[in-house]
Amino acid sequence: MMPPISDPLNILIVDDTPDNLRLLAKMLEAKGYLVRKSLNGRMALQSVHHDPPDLILLDINMPDINGYEVCRQLKASERTRQIPIIFISALDQVNNKLQAFESGAQDYITKPFHELEVLARVQNQLLIQQQQRQLLRQNQQLEQEIQDRQKAEAEIWHLNVDLERRVKARTLELQQALTFEATLKRISDRVRDFLDSSQILQRAVEEVAIALEVDGCDAVLYNLGQPSMGICYRATAIRSEVTQQQTGHRLDTAEIYTQLHYQRLTFAFCPLRPTANDDTASVLACPIFDDQVESVGILGDLWLFRPAYSSFGEMEINLVQQVANQCAIALRQAKLYEAAQAQVTELQRLHQLKDDFLSTVSHELRTPIASMKMVIQLLTTLTHQGETFLTQLVDHANQRDKVMQYLTILREQCDRELSLIEDLLSLKYIEAGMFAQQPAPINCQVLLTSLIASFEARIHRQGQVLQVHIADNLPSLYYDPPLLKRIVAELLTNTCKYTPRGETIAVTARLVPRMPTAVARNPPPCLQITIANTGVEIPATEMERIFDKFYRIPHHDPWKQGGTGLGLALVKKMVEQMGGTLQVTSADNQTCFTVCLSV
């Protein structure tokens, strides 16, 4: 048997008899093969060179170029010689078969052929070809592995020579690195404990001064990224102080400013003329900047001072850079915290405004429609109870019928407008996270049976066929009963609208198992409710959009079907609010909506 394949195998059939082509193609396509057809040898050669197939079924007696010549030309080409060829011919002489194999064929089938024989020989040749390709790949992989191993052995020999020399130096570096890593961790933990900019920089300069044993450590924090205005924090191994100044650092000259603030370089230097109150001869300057807030630019500087004839090592410079990065992160967190506090206050205000808006809209939209509906009901009642009112309005019976018709239309439009308002408000409440559920135990069989019964008269009136399959073992669920009723009712309403007369509406409710996951090896089953109808199919191009708000499938008259255009969008939101899933499939003249809820 053929091993499983991911893509259908490509088979070319070459025969000048169309009936043979159709018969072979039907036979092979039924087994999942991709079949191409050619009526003569010249077309077959062009097709093979353009797109080589996995197998060729070749007839011998053909006009223009016979099968032997086609086979020889294919075997002579480097591009096509590996394609297996099976001759299918009515010639049954031994010399015909010998000539076929001499021209390069792999097999020979005599007409009239049998389906099982053809399929068996095709599968056999494809399996042989696949095994040959696999063997070739394995040989190439083995050769590559041998080359890689030889190369790796040579590299290992050279590395071993250099390794011993580097081990001792590296050990010393690692010891120093571990020391600095512990120092950096301690400084990072201390710095990130604060959400105030001044405390962050004060703690940073204190820790760096002690860790590197420098004469002094300064941190300059600029106001809004302007070096001319800032606060300077200074610390030594003995004491720390905070001073505020209106200019930059005392050593922040034009050359240093360019390297720190524009090039963002960390560098050590010796001033040519130290200040009168400072005999420091070795200085390390490091910028504090935040890559994630590019518009702010430079946040500040770190300055370290040591006496004459001293220097800063590479690992010390790296430590200072890491401390500057931690300071930048901590300063950003402080700014974010301040912004977050302001946003929390603003969000609380907006949340209150949103609550007030929804309450206002709910009242102001519902009240007029409800009043109109009540007045229409009163007018209708008066019309039915006495003729006096109608006599005052009209004189003829046909005019009375029109009045009743107009009242009915007005009442239906009010109902539709009220339904639209209710759907809009429900949707907005769910999207705003304000939809409050009231879970309670639900007897699924009773709820679904009574709900379906309310639709039976409508379905019968529309000439549709109803099928109900509710399992006997449905458990009691703990959900919001009105919410579940509304979901099923919306789906049934939608199905009744679009099911043609004489077609079937099927409602099914059952328990289905769920696949194990890494979190739950034996997950509980879920309740699956499916509502399907025949006689209508949703185009594949519209499937992804049917849950969009106000979206309607093209070529369906919205005024004829009525509705708010929010039904399916609202149902999907409600199902997700209950923690379930809603899926739709449409094929073979049938559309099916499936709701799955956890048990």
Side-chain angles (χ1 to χ4, degrees):
M1 295 294 293
M2 283 290 296
I5 53 177
S6 56
D7 296 324
L9 294 175
N10 192 323
I11 299 177
L12 174 64
I13 306 174
V14 186
D15 198 321
D16 59 342
T17 304
D19 291 338
N20 290 341
L21 285 177
R22 285 191 292 269
L23 178 59
L24 287 170
K26 182 178 180 182
M27 185 188 307
L28 295 172
E29 287 173 348
K31 295 299 181 179
Y33 296 112
L34 181 63
V35 178
R36 295 154 47 192
K37 295 171 264 189
S38 291
L39 287 168
N40 57 62
R42 191 173 303 279
M43 290 175 56
L45 290 172
Q46 292 177 355
S47 176
V48 172
H49 284 289
H50 178 264
D51 183 13
D54 295 297
L55 177 69
I56 299 175
L57 296 178
L58 182 60
D59 187 24
I60 295 178
N61 291 328
M62 293 185 297
D64 193 8
I65 304 176
N66 62 31
Y68 297 135
E69 182 59 27
V70 172
C71 183
R72 280 192 289 268
Q73 291 189 27
L74 291 176
K75 295 303 178 180
S77 173
E78 183 68 28
R79 177 177 172 82
T80 60
R81 66 174 52 179
Q82 299 299 330
I83 302 174
I85 298 175
I86 300 177
F87 276 103
I88 295 183
S89 175
L91 302 176
D92 195 21
Q93 300 298 321
V94 174
N95 59 337
N96 299 126
K97 296 181 180 180
L98 289 176
Q99 188 175 357
F101 287 113
E102 288 173 355
S103 63
Q106 276 67 37
D107 206 344
Y108 194 103
I109 302 174
T110 304
K111 297 179 182 178
F113 46 77
H114 298 281
E115 179 179 356
L116 294 179
E117 179 186 3
V118 172
L119 292 175
R121 292 180 183 271
V122 167
Q123 291 177 355
N124 182 57
Q125 290 302 322
L126 290 174
L127 178 60
I128 292 173
Q129 183 195 39
Q130 185 177 18
Q131 291 174 345
Q132 289 175 344
R133 291 177 178 175
Q134 183 177 2
L135 181 61
L136 180 60
R137 287 195 300 267
Q138 291 175 348
N139 289 337
Q140 292 174 346
Q141 182 179 1
L142 182 59
E143 291 178 359
Q144 184 63 39
E145 290 176 355
I146 292 173
Q147 294 176 1
D148 293 343
R149 178 165 183 154
Q150 292 174 347
K151 182 179 179 180
E153 288 176 351
E155 292 178 354
I156 289 173
W157 184 84
H158 290 291
L159 289 173
N160 286 335
V161 173
D162 186 57
L163 183 59
E164 293 183 2
R165 177 181 60 81
R166 299 172 57 185
V167 166
K168 293 182 180 180
R170 186 58 178 166
T171 301
L172 183 61
E173 291 178 0
L174 287 174
Q175 290 175 349
Q176 189 177 11
L178 289 174
T179 302
F180 281 122
E181 183 179 354
T183 302
L184 178 62
K185 185 178 184 304
R186 185 181 70 252
I187 295 175
S188 300
D189 292 342
R190 298 289 297 275
V191 167
R192 293 192 180 186
D193 286 341
F194 301 102
L195 292 173
D196 181 78
S197 301
S198 60
Q199 292 179 328
I200 291 170
L201 292 183
Q202 278 185 273
R203 188 53 53 88
V205 295
E206 291 174 0
E207 293 291 341
V208 171
I210 296 173
L212 298 184
E213 299 179 353
V214 295
D215 289 352
C217 180
D218 291 359
V220 181
L221 178 64
Y222 299 120
N223 295 331
L224 300 176
Q226 298 297 324
S228 61
M229 297 291 293
I231 302 176
C232 181
Y233 303 88
R234 162 161 284 196
T236 65
I238 301 175
R239 63 186 178 88
S240 63
E241 61 182 359
V242 180
T243 61
Q244 185 172 1
Q245 56 189 33
Q246 299 302 314
T247 60
H249 196 268
R250 64 185 186 278
L251 294 177
D252 196 357
T253 62
E255 295 81 2
I256 296 176
Y257 174 84
T258 300
Q259 297 182 73
L260 280 176
H261 298 266
Y262 287 108
Q263 301 177 7
R264 296 183 178 182
L265 297 176
T266 299
F267 55 95
F269 63 96
C270 296
L272 295 177
R273 291 190 296 272
T275 60
N277 298 327
D278 192 356
D279 59 353
T280 300
S282 183
V283 182
L284 175 65
C286 178
I288 301 175
F289 60 89
D290 192 350
D291 285 331
Q292 297 190 16
V293 190
E294 197 67 34
S295 60
V296 175
I298 200 79
L299 301 178
D301 307 322
L302 285 179
W303 298 79
L304 280 72
F305 307 95
R306 275 184 173 163
Y309 308 109
S310 300
S311 63
F312 293 91
E314 181 180 352
M315 298 192 70
E316 291 177 320
I317 296 174
N318 183 64
L319 175 64
V320 175
Q321 290 175 327
Q322 294 297 323
V323 171
N325 291 338
Q326 295 300 318
C327 288
I329 295 172
L331 290 172
R332 183 173 74 245
Q333 289 177 340
K335 293 295 183 182
L336 290 175
Y337 176 75
E338 295 175 2
Q341 292 299 108
Q343 288 180 354
V344 167
T345 303
E346 179 65 14
L347 286 175
Q348 290 175 346
R349 186 183 70 84
L350 293 176
H351 187 71
Q352 184 61 43
L353 289 175
K354 179 184 64 178
D355 291 347
D356 296 341
F357 172 75
L358 288 176
S359 298
T360 302
V361 169
S362 176
H363 179 268
E364 296 300 329
L365 288 179
R366 282 194 182 104
T367 302
I369 301 298
S371 299
M372 292 171 60
K373 186 175 180 181
M374 181 182 66
V375 172
I376 293 170
Q377 184 64 36
L378 290 174
L379 289 175
T380 305
T381 303
L382 289 174
T383 302
H384 283 299
Q385 288 180 349
E387 295 295 329
T388 303
F389 178 73
L390 284 176
T391 303
Q392 295 174 353
L393 288 177
V394 294
D395 296 331
H396 301 288
N398 60 346
Q399 292 181 334
R400 291 199 301 272
D401 293 339
K402 287 184 179 180
V403 170
M404 292 301 300
Q405 181 182 2
Y406 296 155
L407 289 174
T408 301
I409 293 174
L410 187 57
R411 183 178 66 252
E412 290 176 350
Q413 293 304 314
C414 285
D415 291 339
R416 181 181 179 187
E417 193 70 20
L418 188 59
S419 177
L420 175 61
I421 293 171
E422 292 289 345
D423 288 350
L424 276 172
L425 291 174
S426 298
L427 197 59
K428 290 302 178 184
Y429 273 111
I430 292 176
E431 291 176 345
M434 301 172 58
F435 192 87
Q437 298 189 55
Q438 297 180 350
I442 301 174
N443 187 322
C444 296
Q445 291 176 322
V446 174
L447 183 145
L448 294 175
T449 301
S450 62
L451 188 58
I452 294 170
S454 64
F455 281 83
E456 288 182 351
R458 175 179 178 179
I459 293 173
H460 179 72
R461 185 171 61 253
Q462 295 179 172
Q464 299 157 344
V465 180
L466 176 64
Q467 296 180 355
V468 180
H469 303 283
I470 300 178
D472 297 332
N473 61 339
L474 297 184
S476 178
L477 300 183
Y478 194 72
Y479 286 109
D480 189 337
L483 192 60
L484 181 58
K485 285 182 179 179
R486 189 169 182 183
I487 291 171
V488 178
E490 286 284 355
L491 292 177
L492 280 172
T493 300
N494 187 74
T495 304
C496 289
K497 285 181 183 179
Y498 296 104
T499 302
R501 176 176 293 273
E503 297 293 340
T504 301
I505 298 175
V507 182
T508 304
R510 57 173 183 161
L511 290 178
V512 296
R514 289 191 291 183
M515 297 296 294
T517 63
V519 179
R521 294 188 176 182
N522 296 310
C526 67
L527 173 64
Q528 184 185 82
I529 303 174
T530 61
I531 299 176
N533 62 327
T534 61
V536 64
E537 185 173 334
I538 302 174
T541 55
E542 309 298 328
M543 289 290 286
E544 296 181 357
R545 304 183 60 190
I546 63 172
F547 295 113
D548 293 349
K549 290 178 284 189
F550 299 109
Y551 180 75
R552 295 181 184 276
I553 300 174
H555 310 302
H556 283 78
D557 181 8
W559 299 108
K560 179 181 178 181
Q561 298 296 342
T564 66
L566 292 173
L568 291 180
L570 186 59
V571 167
K572 187 172 180 63
K573 292 288 186 182
M574 288 179 174
V575 172
E576 293 173 350
Q577 185 78 8
M578 298 173 68
T581 60
L582 173 62
Q583 296 179 338
V584 57
T585 58
S586 187
D588 300 329
N589 202 34
Q590 177 176 332
T591 300
C592 178
F593 289 86
T594 303
V595 177
C596 288
L597 299 173
S598 299
V599 176

